[in-house]
Amino acid sequence: MAKPKSRELDPATKAYSEGLQYICKHPMFAPLAYHARFVRQEGNLCPEKGWAVTTSHGHIHVHPKRRGLPEEWIYILAHGLLHLGFGHFRAVERQDLWNAACDSFIAKFLYDMKLGQPPAEMDGRVEIAAKSEEELYRSFMERGLPASFHNLGTAGHGFQDMILNPRSSGPSYWNNTDVNWQDCLGKGLTLAVTSAVNVTAGYEEYLGANPDVLTPAMKARNWFISSYPLMGAMAADFKIIEDPALCNRLSISVAAVDAEAKEIYMNPAAGLDEQECRFVLAHEFLHVGLRHHARAEGRDPYLWNVACDYVINQWLMEMGLGAFPRIGGLHDPDMKGLSAESIYDRIVTDMRLYRKVATFRGVGLGDILPPRVPDWWDRNDGLTLDEFYRNCLSQGLDYHYEQNRGLLPAGLVEEIRALSQPPILWDVELAKWFDHYFSPVEKVRTYSRISRRQSSTPDIPRPRWVPDSGDEDGRTFGVVLDTSGSMDTKLLGKALGAIASYSMSRDVPLVRVIFCDAAIYDQGYLAPEVIADRVSVKGRGGTILQPAIDLLEHAEDFPKSGPLLIITDGDCDRLRIHREHAFLIPKGQHLPFVPKGKVFRMD
């Protein structure tokens, strides 16, 4: 006996079945779909050129022969269920305008939700200013129905897709008049939020995704989201890319982070287990959260990356977070407790050695990928994203302590707290430097210069308050101004203006000024008022600052206790300075040597 041929579904039925199956599995629409009844048979209430209509009994009548994509049926069925869930079935004066108002709100809701695909003849995108269906209905009653709101329903042009109190076409138990549809929608919203959290944490697959086995990197990421609040927000926002071909093309041996694209690259060929992936992911999260991508400020990018790696790896080992990778990483117990800036100043003294060490990306390559646009972090998008990263760590730190997740290294806590505070402006720091060296001049009473006599007692001489004689002796400092061609003229003007202003406010009578490029131009002592007025800058050649510093340190007419203020763009050799000093350099630049004084980076 011949075997009967298996009946295959026709394309129209197959697409409809796939869309219905998706809606029944969707956590938001599952409670509504469970109580609704879908009618797809000849002679139902759907118009000939429509897709579907919904009745107040909880029935959705679907066109039995309409061909469409599964995404289109998802949109149509969700539209009908939302009519029930939003409680749109009510008797009003103009039923057609009320139906149009409800269709408009559902179309806006589904467009924002990005669910399904509206058919070609339906307008899926609509802009509405009303806050509710009732407000939009009143607007239609007063002004009429605009043309852009005509094709938003699922019943086709000229028909309403909501049928109020239709005649029963079957047994009474088919009429779901006792169902609380709004309550079903509320349960669906709760399930949708729960499902979103579970998908993010890795407890369930995203609806429509292929169920694959989670990799160690994904398990580690899910662990941060569910169990480690300090970096949970960072983990939820970053995408893990595990493509060995892409990693090889980018020369990533283990891992690297792209803070601009919010992506972390993990090379599966490294063979890390879950504990090692936790360590590496935490390493990359801290790179981004602590703004290492923006704190280089003119330093060598690779050596700065190396310095940050030493700090982060030491913290992670103290925290016991994951396992130090077997393939290696940067760790030196002698650098424990040092900041990244201090470690950088140490390793630049032996660049030949430290250029041979390997980050998680490889030898000579930093695992902080550079931005595609050099000044991206100074633009609006970059500033917004940078603020988001800082907030992730600062809020995560609060949650970490609230949930008693364990002690953290003091240096890490200090850096996170510092990120939540606005940075001190360079001119404020410069003012503090002036306050340290030039305290207010003491004033004394003297009768040698009698003040004006009071009219009530003209015979009584009264003393006057004057600065104490001799207090201004030695009250000066030296300024070495780099006038090479690489110096920005705006920077020179801004620096000299600040110096003149602070000198006058702190009663500094004279300032020793030296211009220096390839030669020395000694300007002698200048009053702050002269500096603030106009100074003719000489030079604009090369950069050799050491002769000017030697001249000031050995000048007989310059006090031995007078500090030095050096204004340069950093394009100079190592300097030998034996007295108190400070540097004024442009923001984003860095000195190629290790200064012992303060460094103020100007905006």
Side-chain angles (χ1 to χ4, degrees):
M1 184 177 178
K3 295 182 179 180
K5 294 183 179 180
S6 60
R7 295 184 58 185
E8 295 184 359
L9 296 176
D10 62 275
T13 303
K14 183 178 180 181
Y16 166 75
S17 300
E18 291 180 6
L20 179 60
Q21 185 179 11
Y22 184 94
I23 284 294
C24 292
K25 290 183 178 180
H26 196 288
M28 178 177 169
F29 295 96
L32 291 169
Y34 176 78
H35 292 91
R37 181 172 181 267
F38 299 92
V39 181
R40 188 174 183 267
Q41 61 189 21
E42 296 288 347
N44 64 16
L45 300 179
C46 181
E48 182 180 357
K49 295 185 178 181
W51 286 80
V53 295
T54 308
T55 71
S56 58
H57 293 165
H59 298 177
I60 298 180
H61 292 251
V62 180
H63 196 290
K65 297 181 180 180
R66 190 72 184 244
R67 286 198 176 191
L69 299 174
E71 294 79 9
E72 292 176 331
W73 282 117
I74 292 173
Y75 183 91
I76 295 297
L77 297 177
H79 188 107
L81 291 174
L82 287 176
H83 275 313
L84 297 170
F86 287 159
H88 287 165
F89 290 92
R90 64 183 71 171
V92 294
E93 180 181 353
R94 288 286 302 275
Q95 205 69 38
D96 57 334
L97 296 181
W98 170 250
N99 202 144
C102 296
D103 287 338
S104 302
F105 261 80
I106 292 179
K108 180 70 166 59
F109 183 87
L110 292 177
Y111 178 80
D112 294 339
M113 190 178 177
K114 309 297 182 186
L115 182 69
Q117 172 185 330
E121 65 271 19
M122 294 176 59
D123 297 331
R125 182 174 184 177
V126 60
E127 297 294 336
I128 54 178
K131 298 180 181 180
S132 64
E133 297 91 327
E134 292 80 2
E135 184 178 343
L136 189 59
Y137 170 67
R138 290 192 296 268
S139 174
F140 291 166
M141 290 286 288
E142 295 174 0
R143 302 181 179 88
L145 183 63
S148 58
F149 291 84
H150 283 174
N151 299 322
L152 299 176
T154 61
H157 184 68
F159 293 90
Q160 300 177 29
D161 62 358
M162 289 195 303
I163 300 178
L164 187 64
N165 300 322
R167 290 186 303 170
S168 176
S169 59
S172 59
Y173 58 82
W174 283 6
N175 299 332
N176 301 332
T177 55
D178 297 332
V179 177
N180 188 335
W181 298 104
Q182 288 89 340
D183 184 59
C184 290
L185 180 60
K187 292 179 180 178
L189 291 172
T190 303
L191 291 175
V193 173
T194 305
S195 177
V197 175
N198 290 338
V199 168
T200 305
Y203 294 121
E204 65 180 68
E205 292 293 335
Y206 179 74
L207 185 61
N210 294 325
D212 298 325
V213 178
L214 293 178
T215 63
M218 294 303 297
K219 291 180 181 178
R221 173 180 178 268
N222 296 339
W223 177 83
F224 279 105
I225 296 174
S226 60
S227 305
Y228 206 73
L230 177 63
M231 306 178 196
M234 302 280 292
D237 197 62
F238 269 82
K239 180 181 180 181
I240 307 297
I241 299 178
E242 299 180 87
D243 186 347
L246 180 59
C247 290
N248 291 334
R249 188 162 65 250
L250 296 176
S251 302
I252 299 174
S253 59
V254 180
V257 61
D258 187 341
E260 177 185 351
K262 296 192 287 189
E263 295 173 344
I264 293 181
Y265 298 89
M266 299 285 290
N267 194 340
L272 302 181
D273 58 24
E274 183 179 350
Q275 293 295 324
E276 292 173 325
C277 286
R278 290 184 185 180
F279 188 97
V280 173
L281 285 179
H283 179 101
E284 305 301 344
F285 292 150
L286 288 179
H287 267 319
V288 176
L290 297 176
R291 302 181 70 248
H292 289 162
H293 52 277
R295 286 168 52 189
E297 293 185 341
R299 299 179 177 89
D300 181 88
Y302 176 70
L303 295 179
W304 170 248
N305 201 146
V306 169
C308 296
D309 281 2
Y310 278 116
V311 176
I312 291 176
N313 291 342
Q314 178 64 41
W315 286 339
L316 294 178
M317 295 183 69
E318 293 178 16
M319 296 158 62
L321 186 56
F324 196 84
R326 293 163 294 177
I327 60 175
L330 297 178
H331 178 246
D332 188 348
D334 293 338
M335 296 184 181
K336 179 179 180 180
L338 297 179
S339 65
E341 288 79 5
S342 299
I343 294 178
Y344 178 87
D345 292 340
R346 174 181 295 188
I347 65 179
V348 293
T349 61
D350 193 355
M351 291 189 291
R352 179 177 297 181
L353 170 64
Y354 287 99
R355 286 200 178 275
K356 298 178 182 179
V357 300
T359 66
F360 284 139
R361 187 181 179 188
V363 178
L365 298 171
D367 59 340
I368 308 175
L369 298 180
R372 296 166 181 81
V373 180
D375 61 340
W376 191 82
W377 291 105
D378 295 329
R379 302 184 180 184
N380 290 336
D381 293 342
L383 294 173
T384 302
L385 186 59
D386 189 61
E387 182 181 2
F388 168 76
Y389 288 148
R390 288 187 282 111
N391 290 337
C392 282
L393 269 190
S394 60
Q395 295 177 9
L397 180 63
D398 296 334
Y399 294 144
H400 188 94
Y401 282 141
E402 289 176 3
Q403 300 178 18
N404 297 320
R405 293 291 182 175
L407 297 177
L408 297 174
L412 175 59
V413 176
E414 182 179 353
E415 286 208 19
I416 295 176
R417 294 298 188 196
L419 290 175
S420 61
Q421 301 295 329
I424 301 176
L425 299 177
W426 69 271
D427 50 350
V428 177
E429 292 185 301
L430 182 61
K432 293 181 179 179
W433 184 83
F434 272 92
D435 290 337
H436 175 73
Y437 291 105
F438 304 107
S439 57
V441 176
E442 294 290 337
K443 292 186 177 182
V444 297
R445 295 193 306 172
T446 176
Y447 287 92
S448 61
R449 298 175 59 188
I450 302 176
S451 64
R452 294 181 179 179
R453 298 173 181 264
Q454 296 184 4
S455 59
S456 59
T457 56
D459 297 333
I460 302 178
R462 301 184 182 277
R464 171 177 293 189
W465 289 98
V466 296
D468 192 7
S469 60
D471 275 5
E472 295 184 355
D473 297 341
R475 193 178 179 85
T476 186
F477 63 97
V479 175
V480 176
L481 187 62
D482 180 2
T483 58
S484 61
S486 59
M487 283 291 292
D488 185 11
T489 55
K490 293 183 179 180
L491 172 68
L492 294 177
K494 186 181 295 185
L496 289 175
I499 291 172
S501 175
Y502 290 139
S503 299
M504 288 186 288
S505 63
R506 285 156 181 79
D507 299 317
V508 176
L510 297 171
V511 180
R512 182 69 180 271
V513 180
I514 296 180
F515 299 155
C516 187
D517 56 354
I520 302 175
Y521 307 94
D522 189 358
Q523 305 299 300
Y525 284 96
L526 298 178
E529 296 83 358
V530 176
I531 299 177
D533 184 14
R534 176 171 292 185
V535 176
S536 179
V537 176
K538 298 179 180 180
R540 316 305 288 173
T543 303
I544 304 177
L545 299 181
Q546 188 62 53
I549 294 174
D550 293 339
L551 174 64
L552 278 177
E553 288 190 333
H554 298 96
E556 296 182 356
D557 59 343
F558 187 68
K560 294 184 178 180
S561 60
L564 302 181
L565 191 57
I566 305 162
I567 307 174
T568 179
D569 61 352
D571 185 16
C572 55
D573 297 330
R574 181 184 296 272
L575 301 176
R576 300 181 304 276
I577 308 175
H578 302 95
R579 63 174 68 204
E580 297 292 331
H581 61 278
F583 291 90
L584 266 172
I585 64 176
K587 184 178 181 180
Q589 296 296 322
H590 186 72
L591 297 172
F593 50 88
V594 183
K596 295 183 180 180
K598 287 187 173 294
V599 179
F600 307 118
R601 290 181 173 85
M602 301 177 59
D603 297 330

